[in-house]
Amino acid sequence: MKYRDVIRNLIGKVKRLVGKGGTEIQPRDILGKLISELEKRKKLGIDENPFVPNVFAVYLSPVDYEELSPLLTGIREQLKSKIMERVKKRGYKLLSSTVSIDIREDGTIGKNQVVVESSFLKEKVTGPAPMEDNRVISLGSVPPRGQERQEITPTQDHTPAPERKVIETRLIEDKKTKLIDTSKVKLEIVDGEEKGEVIALKEGEYTFGRGREAAILIKDQDETISRVHFKITVREGHVSIRDLDSTNGTRVNEIAIEEAELKKGDTISAGKITLKVA
């Protein structure tokens, strides 16, 4: 082969690679990643039918997320349908009646990349106010990588109470602190997309924000709160809050703070989100 032909072939290969990198991500690319995650994480039960994850988080680059944003609702439903088809066809078991798929953006991910994380979670509890205080439940669909979610079956409570939704809070273990069985603090979201939901915290440290780096994920489509906005520490009967250099700041009882002690009845405001210490 002549030298000129070799150069021509190399140029052709480079053009094909560049062209491939410039293509837009397709829903089938996301489906492939979801199926791969489903199969990779299946766990054998007592019988021959394995359990598979029922909660999935799909992370896309900001560019890909923006390109797909007008179609996200339809794409999410199609993905759920395809995953459920596979679950039924293979005879897999779920911890809930269906799967949950959340599509999010992440600035650390490159264009045309898809990152999928999953977990096994029982269906969220809705109905009367929280049962006994010896449970901790998780907020957000999937925890950041490397952090395991503690799942505790709630006890029954027959005490009549106004209906409100109780969501889960992820327990991040502080190995230097001995965790006790009863939750120390409850935070009720009184303003925001998840208004009426309650977060129960044990002793430890918890970061709050809209990004997957936060221990407690707070929904905020307008992005008025930072990815990691503030931290709450529950320790030895004391509850404190510290702003984590957030863009819009943190306020306690409408007063801007860098760090403050919290007591029952205090309100915490971050962007358009307000929580009340219950």
Side-chain angles (χ1 to χ4, degrees), residues 24-210:
E24 293 184 358
I25 197 167
Q26 300 296 326
R28 63 174 175 269
D29 300 322
I30 301 175
L31 178 61
K33 289 285 188 178
L34 284 168
I35 291 176
S36 176
E37 177 76 4
L38 181 86
E39 296 293 342
K40 181 178 67 176
R41 296 209 60 203
K42 63 185 179 185
K43 300 182 183 297
L44 291 176
I46 297 175
D47 54 27
E48 295 181 356
N49 299 92
F51 284 91
V52 290
N54 59 331
V55 178
F56 297 86
V58 178
Y59 296 97
L60 305 174
S61 72
V63 173
D64 290 328
Y65 185 87
E66 184 176 357
E67 289 175 350
L68 293 177
S69 58
L71 309 172
L72 284 182
T73 300
I75 290 173
R76 188 182 296 110
E77 292 305 313
Q78 289 179 349
L79 292 172
K80 287 175 62 176
S81 176
K82 290 295 184 183
I83 293 297
M84 286 303 300
E85 284 180 13
R86 191 175 187 88
V87 168
K88 293 175 181 178
K89 183 177 181 180
R90 299 292 178 92
Y92 294 153
K93 293 183 177 180
L94 299 171
L95 292 178
S96 56
S97 58
T98 187
V99 296
S100 170
I101 299 176
D102 191 13
I103 302 177
R104 311 168 184 170
E105 65 173 299
D106 190 313
T108 65
I109 296 175
K111 180 172 171 56
N112 289 343
Q113 290 184 333
V114 180
V115 174
V116 175
E117 297 175 346
S118 64
S119 65
F120 298 79
L121 283 183
K122 293 183 179 179
E123 289 188 282
K124 293 181 180 180
V125 179
T126 58
M131 283 65 97
E132 296 182 12
D133 285 349
N134 62 347
R135 66 177 193 154
V136 172
I137 48 181
S138 280
L139 168 66
S141 298
V142 178
R145 254 169 278 175
Q147 296 176 354
E148 291 298 327
R149 194 186 302 270
Q150 180 171 342
E151 299 174 17
I152 301 177
T153 303
T155 56
Q156 193 83 22
D157 179 14
H158 300 289
T159 304
E163 287 196 1
R164 57 176 173 173
K165 188 183 352 180
V166 180
I167 57 176
E168 303 182 357
T169 61
R170 179 160 54 261
L171 178 60
I172 307 301
E173 182 177 357
D174 180 354
K175 294 182 179 179
K176 297 180 180 179
T177 303
K178 183 179 179 181
L179 298 176
I180 59 178
D181 290 335
T182 56
S183 57
K184 289 291 186 180
V185 179
K186 290 187 177 67
L187 303 175
E188 181 178 358
I189 301 178
V190 296
D191 198 7
E193 295 177 33
E194 299 173 301
K195 183 177 180 179
E197 297 184 346
V198 176
I199 305 168
L201 304 178
K202 286 188 176 184
E203 287 200 354
E205 295 184 348
Y206 306 85
T207 53
F208 289 68
R210 62 178 174 82

